Amino acid sequence: MKRDERRDLNPRIIDRLRRICAPGWIRSVFIRRAVAITLIVCAAAVTVTQQQGQPSSTALVATRDLRPGESLTINDVRSTPVPEHLVPTDSVTADDVVGRHVTGLVHAGEIIARHRLLDSRLPSALIGRPDARLVPVRPADDTLATFVRAGDLVDLLSEDDRVLARGAVVAVSPDSDRRASSDPGTVLVAMGEDDAHIVAAAGLREPITFVLH
């Protein structure tokens, strides 16, 4: 009996293995703990793999809300790390945007890409034609400026119901402050060269009506 008591107080390795393999609550506890440890290790490994598998790059974002047509300064933008798949294909640097005008409302923290800036390539990018031009158009109805947004498709009509252009794209619309004033502002619209000349000539004589698609 004394030998058995000493053996229980100081079990051999083979005795420990026998107890683990034997059915009962000790075996169940051991299995549950082993499974729990395995799951924790797997979760940690997956987390590390995902972090390593998403290399970060940098993109330019707005530091404050920017209104359509507003000229950018160096303090209006900052470079920040973003996942690689969020970097726009037409990304820009801070030097590229200083002094440029945004074509639409940009919220603080929003990524700024080249297509959000007013330049000579914007008309072609908007309508997909190399002969694209930008035309400043004064709306015939002040309330029209309330509804027109950058990116909208519009048809342009003269006062005598002539269709001046079809499927033109709004590049820059008046901001909210201008809408609140008595001046409805001017809308920059992208269209083909022929239509641009017709609309520009008509705009010298009369306001133009917008028909939104």
Side-chain angles (χ1 to χ4, degrees), residues 73-84:
T73 68
I74 192 64
N75 295 325
D76 294 329
V77 295
R78 62 181 172 83
S79 182
T80 187
V82 296
E84 188 71 28

Side-chain angles (χ1 to χ4, degrees), residues 136-199:
V137 180
R138 181 166 55 92
D141 187 347
D142 293 356
T143 59
L144 283 174
T146 304
F147 302 102
V148 175
R149 297 289 188 274
D152 285 346
L153 277 178
V154 296
D155 297 333
L156 303 178
L157 280 66
S158 65
E159 285 187 331
D160 58 0
D161 299 331
R162 288 185 299 114
V163 178
L164 305 175
R166 297 182 185 273
V169 180
V170 175
V172 180
S173 63
D175 61 58
S176 57
D177 290 342
R178 291 174 186 162
R179 288 195 207 101
S181 68
S182 58
D183 182 9
T186 299
V187 180
L188 280 180
V189 186
M191 63 194 77
E193 182 178 7
D194 294 339
D195 289 342
H197 293 164
I198 294 172
V199 171

Side-chain angles (χ1 to χ4, degrees), residues 1-105:
M1 179 65 69
K2 292 183 179 180
R3 290 183 179 179
D4 294 338
E5 290 178 354
R6 285 196 300 269
R7 184 178 300 175
D8 292 338
L9 294 175
N10 189 22
R12 297 175 298 175
I13 295 178
I14 190 170
D15 294 330
R16 294 177 184 272
L17 294 176
R18 285 175 180 173
R19 289 184 180 181
I20 292 173
C21 295
W25 69 273
I26 296 179
R27 177 181 172 183
S28 301
V29 170
F30 174 80
I31 293 175
R32 287 197 296 268
R33 289 179 178 176
V35 171
I37 293 173
T38 302
L39 291 175
I40 293 172
V41 172
C42 290
V46 170
T47 301
V48 172
T49 302
Q50 289 179 342
Q51 291 177 348
Q52 293 178 347
Q54 294 181 352
S56 293
S57 186
T58 58
L60 210 63
V61 300
T63 58
R64 62 180 181 88
D65 290 344
L66 302 170
R67 297 175 301 179
E70 189 166 357
S71 179
L72 295 177
T73 68
I74 192 64
N75 295 325
D76 294 329
V77 295
R78 62 181 172 83
S79 182
T80 187
V82 296
E84 188 71 28
H85 67 278
L86 293 181
V87 179
T89 56
D90 57 346
S91 59
V92 290
T93 65
D95 293 336
D96 294 331
V97 305
V98 173
R100 303 277 290 279
H101 300 269
V102 293
T103 60
L105 179 63

